[in-house]
Amino acid sequence: LVAITAGCSVVESWASIVIGLVAGALYLGVSKLLVRRRIDDAVDAIPVHMINGIWGTISVGLFAEPTLMKTVYKNSTHVGWFYSWGRGSADATLLACQLVGILFVIGWVVGTMTPFFWMLHYFGFLRADSLEEVVGLDIGYTGGFRKHRDSLNFELEGKKMDGYLEEYEHRKREKAYFKKNNDRMGGSLPASSIHQESLHGNSYHGRRIITSNMIESLDTISNERMENNNASEIANDAAVGNGSQDRAV
């Protein structure tokens, strides 16, 4: 459907079949490539709309039939490249126009959407955490009850899900810890930095499930840091109070 949209009014039936066959092959190939490269595209928007949209635009420059061009656009000077060869001219003007149009759309989308997605990333809204995708976005965003937990095979899927949920709860505590430190620094830490490996290793935004011992170890470290910070604040308050008493005396 996407591939034939551009040329549906100017290509013949046999050409539409060729366009559809190529579009199907492109879809299957690019979809498998995305999975192999671990690129998240759950609805296959890239192979369906981008790749086949490009192919459909190019196909007009290849298969636009002269009679149909004359009927639809009242002009058949520049037709599909294959038909131009039949005329003995090899005129690729229409094909070149289609390629320029593709480049223009790519440039427009990249130029307008790159700043938009950069801002979403900076403020931490670009994507959900990968572990939230496993346990369910309803848990992360709405605090929904884990209703699907009882429907799982406890011996297999249930125990595995318990591990994911345990790690998810740990990451929530970890995220709260970094947010608290960020507030103490006056909000100088951008939300996108929470996903950086330099702050806390690769546990927050990766798909790795760490062991319970590692979770307890990280929690202990976080608690010790928070206790040390609280102790320092109490000591500072006491020092300020003693200094005030000395000046009063």
Side-chain angles (χ1 to χ4, degrees), residues 104-117:
F104 178 83
V105 171
I106 292 174
W108 173 263
V109 171
V110 171
T112 57
M113 298 309 294
T114 297
F116 175 73
F117 284 121

Side-chain angles (χ1 to χ4, degrees), residues 80-119:
W81 194 44
F82 293 147
Y83 289 96
S84 294
W85 277 100
R87 291 177 170 181
S89 66
D91 178 17
T93 301
L94 180 59
L95 178 60
C97 289
Q98 298 299 100
L99 294 174
V100 170
I102 292 170
L103 294 176
F104 178 83
V105 171
I106 292 174
W108 173 263
V109 171
V110 171
T112 57
M113 298 309 294
T114 297
F116 175 73
F117 284 121
W118 180 86
M119 289 183 63

Side-chain angles (χ1 to χ4, degrees), residues 19-31:
I19 293 170
L21 290 173
V22 174
L26 287 173
Y27 165 75
L28 293 175
V30 176
S31 180

Side-chain angles (χ1 to χ4, degrees), residues 57-153:
T57 305
I58 293 174
S59 67
V60 174
L62 298 175
F63 297 104
E65 198 269 334
T67 303
L68 294 174
M69 287 287 290
K70 184 72 173 179
T71 302
V72 176
Y73 297 108
K74 312 303 181 185
N75 190 330
S76 61
T77 303
H78 305 292
V79 296
W81 194 44
F82 293 147
Y83 289 96
S84 294
W85 277 100
R87 291 177 170 181
S89 66
D91 178 17
T93 301
L94 180 59
L95 178 60
C97 289
Q98 298 299 100
L99 294 174
V100 170
I102 292 170
L103 294 176
F104 178 83
V105 171
I106 292 174
W108 173 263
V109 171
V110 171
T112 57
M113 298 309 294
T114 297
F116 175 73
F117 284 121
W118 180 86
M119 289 183 63
L120 289 178
H121 172 68
Y122 182 85
F123 290 106
F125 297 125
L126 182 60
R127 62 163 295 177
D129 177 70
S130 56
L131 190 55
E132 286 181 329
E133 296 173 359
V134 176
V135 301
L137 295 179
D138 55 332
I139 296 177
Y141 284 83
T142 66
F145 184 73
R146 295 173 287 183
K147 295 180 180 179
H148 64 285
R149 175 65 180 80
D150 295 334
S151 65
L152 298 174
N153 184 324

Side-chain angles (χ1 to χ4, degrees), residues 7-73:
C8 61
S9 63
V10 294
V11 300
E12 295 182 296
S13 299
W14 69 267
S16 66
I17 295 174
V18 173
I19 293 170
L21 290 173
V22 174
L26 287 173
Y27 165 75
L28 293 175
V30 176
S31 180
K32 291 181 180 179
L33 178 63
L34 293 179
V35 174
R36 188 178 301 114
R37 300 302 301 172
R38 296 180 179 273
I39 298 176
D40 185 12
D41 185 8
V43 296
D44 277 339
I46 293 175
V48 171
H49 293 282
M50 188 182 81
I51 300 301
N52 277 320
I54 291 174
W55 161 239
T57 305
I58 293 174
S59 67
V60 174
L62 298 175
F63 297 104
E65 198 269 334
T67 303
L68 294 174
M69 287 287 290
K70 184 72 173 179
T71 302
V72 176
Y73 297 108

Side-chain angles (χ1 to χ4, degrees), residues 229-246:
N229 290 335
N230 293 333
S232 299
E233 291 177 358
I234 293 173
N236 291 334
D237 293 339
V240 171
N242 292 334
S244 300
Q245 292 177 1
D246 292 341

